[in-house]
Amino acid sequence: MDTSASASGAEDAQPPAAGQEPPAGLDTPPYVPYWHPGSTDLPKKGKAITAWSAKTDPNVAFNRSCVPLRTRSQKTELRAHGQARAGEGRVMTCAEFWGTEQNPPQGVADHRYYAFSHWQYVDILVFWAGIASGGLICPPNGHVTDAAHRNGVKVYGSVFFPPSGDGGNPNWVKDFIQKKTVAGKDVYPVADKLIEAAEALGFDGWFINYETPTDAATEAGLRATLAYAQARKTKVEFCWYEAFRRELTDSGTQRNEFYLQDGNKRVCDSVFLDYGWNSENIATSVTTATKIKRSRYEVYYGLELVRHVPDNPRLARLVCPAGSTHQGSLALYAAHTVSNQPKEPKDAWLDYFYRAEADFWTGPCHDPSDTGWRGIAGHIAEHTTVHSLPFVTHFNAGHGRAYYHGGTKVSAGGDGWANLSLQDVLPTYRWITRCTGNSRMFASLCFDEAWEGGSCLRLTGALAPGYRATVRLYQTKLALTDGTKVTVRAKTPSSTEYSFNAVVAFDDDPTGLTSIALSTTDTSGWKTYTADLSTYKDKTLVQLGLCLDLAESAKTDLAYDIRVGQLAVHTGAVTAPGAPSSLTIDRATTISPTRKALRLSWTPPATTTAIHHYEIHRGPSGALIHLGATPNTVYYLAQLDKNQDTTTTTVTVTAVGADGTHSSGATATVTW
């Protein structure tokens, strides 16, 4: 693959590292690690994975994902696009969130970050990285894995064997396949280390990007190494990038099915076929997959996105034909380049990013049900992980210009923040709005204010008297009981002739939308609306949205600009989180006389099920200033400034519940 083209595109989208390197000899940030397979021909910045151990690496705790992989589901009746299909073709997206080196572990102090959020159409994310002069084996950021797992998407790290022109070295491949005999059995140390890294850092597998020319014996060693990893029966998966052939075949000089299945040995879990394939290649691959008793959907057909390829829509339809069985799965190379642009001007970046992402994933109308150029949503039915109560979203996209708690800004200025660990499960349908009469509605994410996090849902438009505007938001699978409620926090018009409603559908009639009035006693600001769903106990909620009505008695249209900061379905009060304790400054590094970097750790409460994440603040009480957040129990604070403090600064950590409720805090003191 053309990794050099991918990397050059990522440089524009990549924000600067938070903080800066400390003076020589002091603690360096716990950057995401990278390795070479062994010690042969190591470049200056290279490190051998065979010399690494999760037990002794002090940075492992900062880089691990803490969100388990959630179960996801699809429902054909609830697909946005009539020609999309469920349970067939899958989508693998290969995207670069950062470069290989100096990759911050828990987010960055800049909102201009590749905050991908169309997870409902993706099955596997490949964290794209790797460069000959740095590292070939690159695990993913923990915070990216957190966001993917929250949406039921698996995450693979990258193993890159570069082409000769990009510094590829056959000796690195030979290091990868070295074996030893232990207690009379052959073992492959690099494969063992790949599994160890995935398990320790909490991700799901590895993408083997093999482009270094070697020989038949070395390639046989690669297959043996990967088959050994499969035979260990762990949950760690492997995907093979087939760079040299455009189909899966079990005969002739192009035979390559043994990278997927070698006789009775499972070698890899899937194969990514290089670009340039056609309908004949697909037919051969389907036949071969059937012969070796593997699913056709384990064969991914590559679409290159790093350069504009006008033929991609036609190629996608070859793999996922409209109205008939999918022939395989889609692999999207350099998906981050869909929305790349220069980082300036800052104020325009968010608008461009979300517009470009929507163009690709849901089509230029930004409506996944649109029947024009369909985007990925025209092929693949949406997934959901919204399966259990309480379900709470603040429409937090995982980045923003500022950070908010309870509708109040709690962060200091700068370029904002990005941390995908905090990204909510965003709306399944972006955006499906339906209006009656000449009413109008436009839905979007808004970064000008929020209830919790960095963004909220914005609904703008106009209502005509006697008519309605509706937005479908979530596909769900929520079992309702007596006392289940919907709660919404929103800024809404003050007109008494206007009504705000929840829209729901149930499993016995999944496409039949029912409007339920929301009520509030608040009169201004962020209002809290509620509706009781007890009438629908023992049913399963499968759709959730909002709608606006204007009474026929209204004398004129009502223009509206609504901000929705929270949408929740819950039974009783959402459980408040317990408080952390024993906040410890494990290491403080002086960057300058007025700036320090801190390694922090704390003890979680005895019960953690109510905790969504922890937040780190400046100050002991009152109006705390937000410094960072993580679902982890360690945090690297890259930059704490002295500001107006004279001799000490108090740092506080609180636990935050699903609805944004904070626990009491644990504190520690920094001495200047």
Side-chain angles (χ1 to χ4, degrees), residues 77-120:
E77 301 95 316
L78 296 178
R79 60 190 175 181
H81 197 288
Q83 293 180 338
R85 298 178 76 87
E88 296 184 12
R90 304 163 192 167
V91 174
M92 175 188 295
T93 179
C94 304
E96 189 170 13
F97 290 78
W98 198 269
T100 299
E101 301 172 13
Q102 295 189 3
N103 190 352
Q106 295 167 306
V108 295
D110 198 311
H111 70 274
R112 296 163 294 176
Y113 189 83
Y114 181 57
F116 179 73
S117 63
H118 284 86
W119 302 107
Q120 66 269 42

Short mmCIF file of all heavy atoms in Angstrom, two decimals, residues 77-120:
data_model
loop_
_atom_site.label_atom_id
_atom_site.label_comp_id
_atom_site.label_asym_id
_atom_site.label_seq_id
_atom_site.Cartn_x
_atom_site.Cartn_y
_atom_site.Cartn_z
N GLU A 77 -35.36 -4.47 9.23
CA GLU A 77 -36.50 -3.56 9.10
C GLU A 77 -36.12 -2.12 9.44
O GLU A 77 -36.82 -1.18 9.04
CB GLU A 77 -37.65 -4.00 10.02
CG GLU A 77 -38.17 -5.40 9.74
CD GLU A 77 -37.52 -6.44 10.63
OE1 GLU A 77 -36.28 -6.38 10.80
OE2 GLU A 77 -38.25 -7.31 11.15
N LEU A 78 -35.04 -1.94 10.19
CA LEU A 78 -34.68 -0.61 10.65
C LEU A 78 -33.53 0.00 9.86
O LEU A 78 -33.05 1.08 10.22
CB LEU A 78 -34.31 -0.66 12.14
CG LEU A 78 -35.45 -1.07 13.07
CD1 LEU A 78 -34.97 -1.13 14.51
CD2 LEU A 78 -36.62 -0.11 12.95
N ARG A 79 -33.10 -0.63 8.81
CA ARG A 79 -32.05 -0.04 7.98
C ARG A 79 -32.54 1.28 7.40
O ARG A 79 -33.72 1.45 7.07
CB ARG A 79 -31.67 -0.99 6.86
CG ARG A 79 -32.84 -1.32 5.95
CD ARG A 79 -32.53 -2.44 5.00
NE ARG A 79 -33.75 -2.77 4.24
CZ ARG A 79 -33.83 -3.72 3.33
NH1 ARG A 79 -32.75 -4.43 3.05
NH2 ARG A 79 -34.96 -3.96 2.70
N ALA A 80 -31.63 2.22 7.29
CA ALA A 80 -32.01 3.52 6.75
C ALA A 80 -32.29 3.46 5.27
O ALA A 80 -33.24 4.08 4.77
CB ALA A 80 -30.90 4.53 7.03
N HIS A 81 -31.47 2.71 4.55
CA HIS A 81 -31.58 2.65 3.10
C HIS A 81 -32.21 1.33 2.68
O HIS A 81 -31.78 0.27 3.14
CB HIS A 81 -30.20 2.81 2.46
CG HIS A 81 -30.23 3.16 1.01
ND1 HIS A 81 -30.59 2.27 0.04
CD2 HIS A 81 -29.96 4.32 0.37
CE1 HIS A 81 -30.52 2.84 -1.14
NE2 HIS A 81 -30.15 4.10 -0.97
N GLY A 82 -33.17 1.37 1.81
CA GLY A 82 -33.91 0.17 1.43
C GLY A 82 -33.07 -0.89 0.75
O GLY A 82 -33.46 -2.06 0.74
N GLN A 83 -31.92 -0.51 0.16
CA GLN A 83 -31.09 -1.49 -0.53
C GLN A 83 -29.91 -1.96 0.31
O GLN A 83 -29.15 -2.83 -0.12
CB GLN A 83 -30.59 -0.90 -1.85
CG GLN A 83 -31.73 -0.68 -2.85
CD GLN A 83 -31.24 -0.11 -4.17
OE1 GLN A 83 -30.17 0.50 -4.23
NE2 GLN A 83 -32.02 -0.29 -5.22
N ALA A 84 -29.72 -1.38 1.48
CA ALA A 84 -28.65 -1.85 2.37
C ALA A 84 -29.04 -3.22 2.93
O ALA A 84 -30.22 -3.56 3.02
CB ALA A 84 -28.44 -0.86 3.51
N ARG A 85 -28.03 -4.00 3.30
CA ARG A 85 -28.31 -5.35 3.77
C ARG A 85 -27.64 -5.58 5.13
O ARG A 85 -26.58 -5.01 5.42
CB ARG A 85 -27.83 -6.39 2.75
CG ARG A 85 -28.56 -6.24 1.41
CD ARG A 85 -28.05 -7.22 0.38
NE ARG A 85 -28.51 -8.57 0.60
CZ ARG A 85 -29.66 -9.07 0.13
NH1 ARG A 85 -30.49 -8.29 -0.55
NH2 ARG A 85 -29.99 -10.33 0.35
N ALA A 86 -28.27 -6.42 5.93
CA ALA A 86 -27.75 -6.77 7.25
C ALA A 86 -27.24 -8.20 7.24
O ALA A 86 -27.75 -9.05 6.53
CB ALA A 86 -28.85 -6.61 8.30
N GLY A 87 -26.19 -8.46 8.04
CA GLY A 87 -25.69 -9.82 8.22
C GLY A 87 -24.91 -10.37 7.05
O GLY A 87 -24.68 -11.58 6.97
N GLU A 88 -24.48 -9.51 6.13
CA GLU A 88 -23.73 -10.00 4.97
C GLU A 88 -22.36 -9.32 4.92
O GLU A 88 -21.52 -9.56 5.78
CB GLU A 88 -24.54 -9.78 3.69
CG GLU A 88 -25.84 -10.60 3.67
CD GLU A 88 -26.62 -10.47 2.38
OE1 GLU A 88 -26.08 -9.93 1.39
OE2 GLU A 88 -27.79 -10.90 2.35
N GLY A 89 -22.10 -8.51 3.90
CA GLY A 89 -20.81 -7.88 3.76
C GLY A 89 -20.45 -7.02 4.95
O GLY A 89 -21.30 -6.39 5.58
N ARG A 90 -19.16 -6.99 5.25
CA ARG A 90 -18.64 -6.22 6.38
C ARG A 90 -17.77 -5.07 5.86
O ARG A 90 -17.44 -5.01 4.68
CB ARG A 90 -17.84 -7.13 7.31
CG ARG A 90 -18.64 -8.34 7.80
CD ARG A 90 -17.76 -9.43 8.36
NE ARG A 90 -18.50 -10.67 8.55
CZ ARG A 90 -17.94 -11.85 8.79
NH1 ARG A 90 -16.62 -11.95 8.85
NH2 ARG A 90 -18.68 -12.92 8.96
N VAL A 91 -17.40 -4.19 6.76
CA VAL A 91 -16.56 -3.06 6.39
C VAL A 91 -15.35 -3.01 7.32
O VAL A 91 -15.50 -3.02 8.54
CB VAL A 91 -17.33 -1.73 6.45
CG1 VAL A 91 -16.38 -0.55 6.20
CG2 VAL A 91 -18.46 -1.71 5.43
N MET A 92 -14.18 -2.96 6.71
CA MET A 92 -12.92 -2.73 7.43
C MET A 92 -12.43 -1.35 7.00
O MET A 92 -12.34 -1.05 5.81
CB MET A 92 -11.89 -3.79 7.06
CG MET A 92 -10.50 -3.56 7.66
SD MET A 92 -9.28 -4.74 6.99
CE MET A 92 -9.93 -6.30 7.62
N THR A 93 -12.13 -0.49 7.96
CA THR A 93 -11.59 0.81 7.64
C THR A 93 -10.17 0.92 8.17
O THR A 93 -9.90 0.60 9.33
CB THR A 93 -12.47 1.95 8.19
OG1 THR A 93 -11.88 3.21 7.87
CG2 THR A 93 -12.65 1.86 9.69
N CYS A 94 -9.24 1.31 7.29
CA CYS A 94 -7.84 1.49 7.66
C CYS A 94 -7.59 2.99 7.75
O CYS A 94 -7.68 3.69 6.73
CB CYS A 94 -6.93 0.86 6.62
SG CYS A 94 -7.25 -0.89 6.31
N ALA A 95 -7.29 3.48 8.94
CA ALA A 95 -7.22 4.93 9.13
C ALA A 95 -6.05 5.29 10.03
O ALA A 95 -5.72 4.56 10.97
CB ALA A 95 -8.53 5.45 9.73
N GLU A 96 -5.46 6.45 9.75
CA GLU A 96 -4.34 6.94 10.52
C GLU A 96 -4.81 8.06 11.44
O GLU A 96 -5.24 9.11 10.98
CB GLU A 96 -3.24 7.45 9.58
CG GLU A 96 -1.95 7.78 10.27
CD GLU A 96 -0.82 8.05 9.28
OE1 GLU A 96 -1.10 8.22 8.08
OE2 GLU A 96 0.34 8.08 9.72
N PHE A 97 -4.71 7.84 12.74
CA PHE A 97 -5.12 8.84 13.72
C PHE A 97 -3.94 9.70 14.16
O PHE A 97 -4.12 10.77 14.72
CB PHE A 97 -5.73 8.15 14.94
CG PHE A 97 -7.07 7.52 14.67
CD1 PHE A 97 -7.16 6.30 14.01
CD2 PHE A 97 -8.23 8.15 15.06
CE1 PHE A 97 -8.40 5.72 13.75
CE2 PHE A 97 -9.47 7.59 14.81
CZ PHE A 97 -9.56 6.37 14.16
N TRP A 98 -2.75 9.19 13.94
CA TRP A 98 -1.52 9.88 14.32
C TRP A 98 -0.42 9.26 13.49
O TRP A 98 -0.68 8.35 12.68
CB TRP A 98 -1.24 9.71 15.81
CG TRP A 98 -0.27 10.70 16.38
CD1 TRP A 98 1.09 10.55 16.48
CD2 TRP A 98 -0.56 11.98 16.93
NE1 TRP A 98 1.65 11.66 17.06
CE2 TRP A 98 0.65 12.56 17.34
CE3 TRP A 98 -1.73 12.71 17.10
CZ2 TRP A 98 0.74 13.82 17.92
CZ3 TRP A 98 -1.65 13.96 17.69
CH2 TRP A 98 -0.43 14.52 18.08
N GLY A 99 0.82 9.69 13.67
CA GLY A 99 1.94 9.00 13.06
C GLY A 99 2.39 7.85 13.93
O GLY A 99 1.70 7.43 14.86
N THR A 100 3.58 7.34 13.64
CA THR A 100 4.12 6.21 14.40
C THR A 100 4.74 6.67 15.72
O THR A 100 4.57 6.02 16.75
CB THR A 100 5.17 5.47 13.55
OG1 THR A 100 4.54 4.96 12.37
CG2 THR A 100 5.81 4.33 14.32
N GLU A 101 5.43 7.79 15.69
CA GLU A 101 6.20 8.23 16.85
C GLU A 101 5.48 9.32 17.63
O GLU A 101 4.63 10.04 17.10
CB GLU A 101 7.57 8.73 16.39
CG GLU A 101 8.38 7.68 15.63
CD GLU A 101 9.65 8.24 15.02
OE1 GLU A 101 10.02 9.37 15.37
OE2 GLU A 101 10.25 7.54 14.19
N GLN A 102 5.81 9.44 18.92
CA GLN A 102 5.28 10.47 19.82
C GLN A 102 3.74 10.54 19.75
O GLN A 102 3.15 11.61 19.64
CB GLN A 102 5.90 11.83 19.52
CG GLN A 102 7.39 11.85 19.79
CD GLN A 102 7.99 13.24 19.71
OE1 GLN A 102 7.29 14.22 19.49
NE2 GLN A 102 9.30 13.34 19.90
N ASN A 103 3.14 9.37 19.84
CA ASN A 103 1.68 9.25 19.76
C ASN A 103 1.11 9.35 21.17
O ASN A 103 1.27 8.43 21.97
CB ASN A 103 1.34 7.90 19.12
CG ASN A 103 -0.12 7.78 18.78
OD1 ASN A 103 -0.93 8.63 19.15
ND2 ASN A 103 -0.47 6.72 18.09
N PRO A 104 0.45 10.46 21.53
CA PRO A 104 -0.04 10.64 22.91
C PRO A 104 -1.07 9.58 23.28
O PRO A 104 -1.91 9.20 22.46
CB PRO A 104 -0.67 12.04 22.88
CG PRO A 104 -0.04 12.72 21.71
CD PRO A 104 0.19 11.64 20.70
N PRO A 105 -1.04 9.10 24.51
CA PRO A 105 -1.85 7.94 24.88
C PRO A 105 -3.32 8.24 25.17
O PRO A 105 -4.17 7.38 24.98
CB PRO A 105 -1.16 7.41 26.13
CG PRO A 105 -0.56 8.63 26.76
CD PRO A 105 -0.13 9.50 25.61
N GLN A 106 -3.64 9.44 25.67
CA GLN A 106 -4.99 9.68 26.20
C GLN A 106 -5.58 10.98 25.66
O GLN A 106 -6.21 11.74 26.38
CB GLN A 106 -4.94 9.69 27.73
CG GLN A 106 -4.54 8.33 28.31
CD GLN A 106 -4.17 8.39 29.77
OE1 GLN A 106 -3.32 9.17 30.19
NE2 GLN A 106 -4.82 7.55 30.58
N GLY A 107 -5.39 11.21 24.37
CA GLY A 107 -5.95 12.40 23.75
C GLY A 107 -4.94 13.53 23.64
O GLY A 107 -3.79 13.42 24.08
N VAL A 108 -5.38 14.63 23.04
CA VAL A 108 -4.51 15.77 22.77
C VAL A 108 -5.24 17.07 23.08
O VAL A 108 -6.48 17.11 23.14
CB VAL A 108 -4.06 15.79 21.29
CG1 VAL A 108 -3.18 14.60 20.98
CG2 VAL A 108 -5.25 15.84 20.35
N ALA A 109 -4.47 18.12 23.25
CA ALA A 109 -5.04 19.43 23.57
C ALA A 109 -5.32 20.22 22.30
O ALA A 109 -4.79 21.31 22.08
CB ALA A 109 -4.08 20.20 24.48
N ASP A 110 -6.13 19.64 21.42
CA ASP A 110 -6.48 20.28 20.16
C ASP A 110 -7.74 19.59 19.63
O ASP A 110 -7.80 18.36 19.61
CB ASP A 110 -5.34 20.14 19.15
CG ASP A 110 -5.44 21.12 17.99
OD1 ASP A 110 -6.54 21.22 17.41
OD2 ASP A 110 -4.44 21.78 17.68
N HIS A 111 -8.73 20.37 19.21
CA HIS A 111 -9.97 19.75 18.73
C HIS A 111 -9.83 19.20 17.31
O HIS A 111 -10.66 18.41 16.87
CB HIS A 111 -11.12 20.77 18.77
CG HIS A 111 -11.02 21.87 17.76
ND1 HIS A 111 -10.31 23.03 17.99
CD2 HIS A 111 -11.53 22.00 16.51
CE1 HIS A 111 -10.40 23.83 16.94
NE2 HIS A 111 -11.13 23.23 16.02
N ARG A 112 -8.76 19.58 16.60
CA ARG A 112 -8.60 19.19 15.20
C ARG A 112 -7.95 17.80 15.13
O ARG A 112 -6.76 17.66 14.88
CB ARG A 112 -7.78 20.25 14.46
CG ARG A 112 -8.48 21.59 14.39
CD ARG A 112 -7.52 22.71 14.03
NE ARG A 112 -6.55 22.89 15.12
CZ ARG A 112 -5.53 23.75 15.05
NH1 ARG A 112 -5.34 24.48 13.97
NH2 ARG A 112 -4.70 23.87 16.07
N TYR A 113 -8.74 16.81 15.34
CA TYR A 113 -8.28 15.43 15.44
C TYR A 113 -9.25 14.57 14.64
O TYR A 113 -10.44 14.89 14.52
CB TYR A 113 -8.27 15.00 16.91
CG TYR A 113 -7.63 13.67 17.21
CD1 TYR A 113 -6.25 13.56 17.35
CD2 TYR A 113 -8.39 12.52 17.35
CE1 TYR A 113 -5.65 12.35 17.64
CE2 TYR A 113 -7.80 11.30 17.64
CZ TYR A 113 -6.42 11.22 17.79
OH TYR A 113 -5.84 10.00 18.07
N TYR A 114 -8.77 13.46 14.13
CA TYR A 114 -9.64 12.57 13.35
C TYR A 114 -10.57 11.82 14.32
O TYR A 114 -10.33 10.68 14.70
CB TYR A 114 -8.80 11.60 12.53
CG TYR A 114 -9.62 10.65 11.68
CD1 TYR A 114 -10.53 11.12 10.75
CD2 TYR A 114 -9.49 9.27 11.82
CE1 TYR A 114 -11.29 10.25 9.98
CE2 TYR A 114 -10.23 8.39 11.06
CZ TYR A 114 -11.13 8.89 10.14
OH TYR A 114 -11.89 8.01 9.38
N ALA A 115 -11.63 12.50 14.71
CA ALA A 115 -12.59 11.93 15.66
C ALA A 115 -13.66 11.16 14.89
O ALA A 115 -14.81 11.59 14.77
CB ALA A 115 -13.22 13.04 16.50
N PHE A 116 -13.28 10.02 14.37
CA PHE A 116 -14.20 9.21 13.57
C PHE A 116 -15.40 8.80 14.41
O PHE A 116 -15.28 8.48 15.59
CB PHE A 116 -13.48 7.96 13.05
CG PHE A 116 -14.38 7.06 12.24
CD1 PHE A 116 -14.76 7.43 10.97
CD2 PHE A 116 -14.85 5.87 12.77
CE1 PHE A 116 -15.60 6.62 10.22
CE2 PHE A 116 -15.67 5.04 12.03
CZ PHE A 116 -16.05 5.42 10.75
N SER A 117 -16.59 8.80 13.79
CA SER A 117 -17.78 8.46 14.58
C SER A 117 -18.83 7.65 13.82
O SER A 117 -19.86 7.32 14.40
CB SER A 117 -18.44 9.75 15.10
OG SER A 117 -18.89 10.56 14.03
N HIS A 118 -18.59 7.30 12.56
CA HIS A 118 -19.58 6.51 11.82
C HIS A 118 -19.36 5.01 12.06
O HIS A 118 -19.31 4.20 11.12
CB HIS A 118 -19.53 6.84 10.33
CG HIS A 118 -20.16 8.16 9.99
ND1 HIS A 118 -19.48 9.36 10.06
CD2 HIS A 118 -21.43 8.47 9.62
CE1 HIS A 118 -20.29 10.35 9.72
NE2 HIS A 118 -21.48 9.84 9.46
N TRP A 119 -19.22 4.67 13.32
CA TRP A 119 -18.93 3.28 13.70
C TRP A 119 -20.04 2.32 13.32
O TRP A 119 -19.81 1.11 13.18
CB TRP A 119 -18.71 3.21 15.21
CG TRP A 119 -17.62 4.07 15.75
CD1 TRP A 119 -17.75 5.23 16.47
CD2 TRP A 119 -16.20 3.85 15.64
NE1 TRP A 119 -16.52 5.74 16.82
CE2 TRP A 119 -15.55 4.92 16.32
CE3 TRP A 119 -15.42 2.86 15.03
CZ2 TRP A 119 -14.16 5.02 16.41
CZ3 TRP A 119 -14.04 2.96 15.12
CH2 TRP A 119 -13.43 4.02 15.80
N GLN A 120 -21.28 2.81 13.17
CA GLN A 120 -22.41 1.93 12.90
C GLN A 120 -22.28 1.19 11.58
O GLN A 120 -22.98 0.21 11.34
CB GLN A 120 -23.73 2.71 12.95
CG GLN A 120 -23.92 3.77 11.87
CD GLN A 120 -23.42 5.13 12.28
OE1 GLN A 120 -22.36 5.25 12.89
NE2 GLN A 120 -24.18 6.16 11.97
#
